[in-house]
């Protein structure tokens, strides 16, 4: 299996290991496999009785053909072990007769990012060996919360790597801050930046573009790498849980083997829902994909009108991981449907004017699978409350955005098929907003909300978030954005 960039003809191809090591392709686009592997119903039947780790090794083996079966088995068993995902990696729960929840937040940081970030560092570590890389990969991350912690947990103590995370000092929740300040591991570093997320993000981008810093790092035997969701190493592992959920639904009798289902995904960067699309293209019986957005509904408009337009007001919402105006992985869908030339012209237009527009025929091709709905802040609060009152299911705000969209879809289209809704965060990561939405009272702070929410609902706090206030704080540094390059060099030259 070879990989190619989304914007140029496939003259330059790379292996999976190279794609994972490089991240972006040299044409400025994203890496995609040259052809899509298939999965048959007979293969799915074999997977029914297997563990999540075994299912993952099997599916990844179809894409990462330069990794041996043994390597993938070892990495998947390590990443999805019971100790990291107590009770199983991606359980499916029944909400009502038509609606099922795919819970993707049972990992070490209680966020869906764990599903990919537990395995990707292991794949990168092997990629370094496979490509003959002798230097250490320094993963630089600017985070508005969830990704930073999930990346720290994923990369901690992974051979050949170091990870450094920058977060805006006043731009993440108290719980998220504590999660990062108490991070364990020998190869990790965390610093707060005076400023907002953009300041942290621009600081990281400047370092990636700064030849002086990069050559200084090189002298220490270090090169920069990123952990963001456009890397194929993060996308491929996300295909697995859709196949796994299908297996579990067949086993539980929710569907028959071969029966079509629909999937609804709370969407930001379009990575999670695109993984579901790849599963469908491989042959998993999926009919429609419902793309759920919050008030930042650029994708709802795109899927309805064919116009992608980022020239709009940015809204800060209760579902911050979906506060995104450029959904990077959408490029991969354009490439699969319309080829590299058309993708390149859309991306040029997006860079130059902030918008592009599909032809009616192209829009029809997208709409054969995708439908977009959005849920505003009031709708999110109402959905959180109703889901608790009617179903006794405690959702987080991102999942509530998806449930709001799912209900609109079921109203418009009837409940013809079983609908699987991706649940992307533990409600306890957003305890303050969840508590406020359910009970109309305002907790004094985020930590108080954790206790109040569990006392009032009886739903247990996930282990990674329990006792967080009692952990040892390791990282208290607060720096200016212009001190970031020095901080990176200091950490890179640290010997452990
Ligand atoms: C990252 C994230 C999303 C969005 O996923 P994409 O792959 O970026 O579309 C949704 N919910 C939560 C909780 C997330 O962390």
């Amino acid at each position: 299996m070879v990989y190619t960039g989304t914007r140029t003809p496939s003259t330059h191809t790379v292996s999976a290991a190279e794609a994972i090591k490089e991240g972006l392709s040299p044409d400025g686009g994203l890496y995609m496999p040259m052809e899509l592997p298939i999965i048959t119903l007979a293969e799915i039947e074999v997977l029914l009785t297997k563990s999540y780790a075994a299912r993952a090794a099997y599916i990844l083996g179809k894409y990462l053909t330069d990794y041996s079966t043994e390597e993938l088995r070892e990495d998947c068993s390590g990443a999805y072990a019971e100790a990291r995902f107590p009770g199983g990696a991606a359980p499916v729960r029944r909400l009502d007769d038509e609606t099922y929840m795919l819970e993707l937040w049972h990992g070490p940081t209680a966020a869906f990012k764990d599903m990919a970030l537990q395995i990707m560092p292991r794949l990168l570590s092997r990629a370094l060996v496979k490509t003959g890389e002798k230097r250490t990969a320094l993963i630089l991350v600017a985070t508005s919360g969830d990704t930073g912690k999930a990346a720290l947990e994923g990369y901690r103590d992974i051979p050949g790597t170091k990870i450094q995370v920058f977060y805006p000092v006043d731009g993440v929740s108290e719980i998220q801050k504590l999660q990062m300040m108490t991070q364990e591991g020998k190869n990790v570093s965390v610093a707060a930046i005076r400023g907002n997320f953009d300041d942290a993000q621009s600081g990281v981008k400047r370092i990636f573009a700064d030849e002086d810093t990069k050559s200084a790092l090189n002298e220490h035997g270090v090169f920069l790498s990123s952990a963001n969701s456009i890397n194929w190493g993060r996308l491929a592992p996300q295909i697995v849980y859709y196949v796994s959920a299908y297996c579990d639904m067949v086993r539980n009798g929710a569907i028959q083997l071969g029966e079509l289902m629909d999937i609804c995904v709370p969407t930001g960067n379009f990575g999670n829902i695109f993984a579901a699309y790849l599963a469908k293209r491989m042959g998993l019986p999926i009919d429609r994909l419902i793309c759920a957005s919050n008030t930042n509904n650029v994708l709802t408009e795109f899927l309805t009108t064919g116009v992608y337009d980022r020239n709009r007001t940015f809204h800060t919402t209760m579902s911050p991981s979906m506060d995104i105006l450029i959904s990077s992985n959408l490029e991969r869908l354009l490439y699969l449907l319309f080829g590299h030339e058309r993708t390149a012209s859309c991306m040029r237009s997006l860079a130059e004017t902030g918008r592009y527009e599909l032809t009616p025929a192209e829009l029809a091709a997208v709409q054969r699978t995708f439908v977009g709905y959005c849920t505003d802040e009031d709708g999110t609060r109402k959905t959180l409350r109703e889901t608790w009152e009617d179903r006794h299911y405690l959702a987080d705000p991102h999942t509530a955005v998806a449930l709001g969209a799912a209900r609109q879809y079921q109203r418009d289209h009837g409940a013809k098929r079983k609908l699987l809704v991706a649940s992307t965060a533990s409600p306890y990561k957003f305890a303050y907003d969840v508590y406020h939405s359910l009970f109309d009272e305002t907790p004094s702070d985020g930590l108080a909300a954790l206790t109040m929410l569990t006392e009032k609902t009886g739903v247990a706090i996930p282990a990674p978030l329990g006792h967080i206030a009692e952990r040892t704080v390791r990282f208290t540094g607060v720096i200016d954005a212009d001190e970031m390059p020095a901080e990176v060099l200091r950490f890179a030259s640290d010997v452990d």
Side-chain angles (χ1 to χ4, degrees), residues 376-388:
D376 64 14
E377 293 291 272
D378 277 344
T380 305
R381 274 188 283 270
K382 186 161 165 278
T383 307
L384 280 169
R385 195 167 54 240
E386 285 178 0
T387 309
W388 174 248

Side-chain angles (χ1 to χ4, degrees), residues 111-113 146-147 229 234 238 265-273 321-322 324 329 396 398 424-425 430:
F112 122 83
K113 304 286 188 286
D146 274 8
T147 304
S229 79
R234 262 186 77 176
Q238 299 190 318
V265 184
T267 297
N269 226 350
F270 210 76
N272 198 359
I273 196 168
S321 296
M322 299 162 73
I324 283 178
N329 279 297
D396 96 290
H398 303 77
T424 49
F430 301 92

Side-chain angles (χ1 to χ4, degrees), residues 146-259:
D146 274 8
T147 304
K149 178 63 185 180
L152 283 163
E153 263 314 307
Y155 280 95
R156 74 184 255 195
D157 301 328
I158 293 287
T161 75
K162 285 185 160 193
I163 176 159
Q164 187 162 35
V165 170
F166 297 100
Y167 69 89
V169 68
D170 294 319
V172 305
S173 81
E174 204 174 344
I175 296 171
Q176 287 171 325
K177 196 180 285 187
L178 268 174
Q179 278 188 301
M180 290 190 274
M181 286 166 66
T182 57
Q183 177 64 43
E184 295 171 3
K186 285 199 291 289
N187 61 340
V188 306
S189 168
V190 176
I193 300 297
R194 286 183 203 95
N196 56 27
F197 172 62
D198 277 340
D199 297 318
Q201 169 115 308
S202 317
V204 164
K205 283 192 178 152
R206 266 197 306 276
I207 295 170
F208 269 100
D210 174 6
E211 294 305 327
D212 290 345
T213 306
K214 283 198 290 194
S215 71
L217 288 171
N218 199 34
E219 281 166 29
H220 293 294
V222 171
F223 74 100
L224 295 175
S225 184
S226 85
N228 59 30
S229 79
I230 53 179
N231 191 303
W232 180 251
R234 262 186 77 176
L235 197 56
Q238 299 190 318
I239 302 168
V240 174
Y241 46 74
Y242 291 109
V243 178
S244 177
Y246 192 89
C247 291
D248 289 343
M249 286 176 71
V250 171
R251 280 192 66 160
N252 300 341
I255 51 175
Q256 310 258 303
L257 185 62
E259 184 180 335

Side-chain angles (χ1 to χ4, degrees), residues 260-330:
L260 287 168
M261 66 174 180
D262 295 327
I263 298 178
C264 176
V265 184
T267 297
N269 226 350
F270 210 76
N272 198 359
I273 196 168
F274 184 70
Y277 181 68
L278 287 177
K280 174 183 161 94
R281 291 282 298 253
M282 290 173 76
L284 192 71
I286 297 168
D287 195 31
R288 309 301 296 282
L289 294 175
I290 298 111
C291 174
S293 300
N294 62 23
T295 316
N296 296 294
N297 56 3
V298 56
L299 285 168
T300 317
E301 184 178 288
F302 172 71
L303 295 171
T304 312
T305 67
V307 175
Y308 194 99
D309 191 353
R310 62 157 302 191
N311 305 302
R312 59 177 68 222
T313 312
F314 177 83
H315 299 279
T316 302
T317 72
M318 277 187 285
S319 42
S321 296
M322 299 162 73
D323 292 343
I324 283 178
L325 293 181
I326 297 192
S327 298
S328 312
N329 279 297
L330 190 57

